[in-house]
Amino acid sequence: MLKRIVIAAVAAAACIMPVQAEVQRGTSRLIETLEDSGVVVTVNPRSCKTDSAAGSYRWVGFQREITLCVGRSFDAGDHDTVRHETVHAIQHCVNAARRTSTDNPIIDDPDTFINFIEENLTPNEIEWIKSVYRESQWLTELEAFAGAKAYTSSELEALFLEACTLQESFDG
């Protein structure tokens, strides 16, 4: 029931928030797609009371989960968090397909990666990320923060479906 309320709140916020606030109409659909694909989306679990993170992505075995700490209302920062955690889900799928460590970003060419980060994050944002996260997390966190800015919820939904679900095609 709480998830339905959050999805409704996301849709309502998308209608009233200004564009520069990064609220996106596609966030509700993105959350639904994640859930329909087997990602458990948990809103305001008890861990949110003691953890300062706005959200998290984790997996245990085959179970994938995105946690959202939205507080009393779903705001622009929460929309960004959904996009950020979706990038982590995509990273997980891409690395599983590549059979590489989950500490690897999606973009595997160093020059392309650096350009993507510099196009989407300010030097201050990059330094903040490096000050908050362990060095082993820098690449994936930089990519997730940049991806949350670079892609809309709808674009991330398409990327998630491409990377994380089996899609059959029929020729006739």
Side-chain angles (χ1 to χ4, degrees), residues 84-100:
H84 175 98
E85 300 308 336
T86 300
V87 173
H88 285 313
I90 296 167
Q91 290 168 335
H92 179 216
C93 295
V94 167
N95 282 305
R98 289 180 185 156
R99 297 183 190 269
T100 54

Side-chain angles (χ1 to χ4, degrees), residues 2-62:
L2 181 60
K3 284 184 222 172
R4 290 180 194 257
I5 293 169
V6 168
I7 289 172
V10 170
C15 295
I16 60 173
M17 297 292 287
V19 174
Q20 69 271 18
E22 298 296 330
V23 170
Q24 296 182 5
R25 294 180 193 278
T27 302
S28 297
R29 183 171 163 94
L30 175 57
I31 292 170
E32 290 172 358
T33 297
L34 290 164
E35 289 186 318
D36 290 347
S37 300
V39 178
V40 175
V41 178
T42 305
V43 180
N44 289 333
R46 291 181 188 197
S47 62
C48 289
K49 293 179 182 178
T50 58
D51 190 0
S52 63
S56 65
Y57 173 79
R58 71 183 190 112
W59 67 96
V60 177
F62 292 103

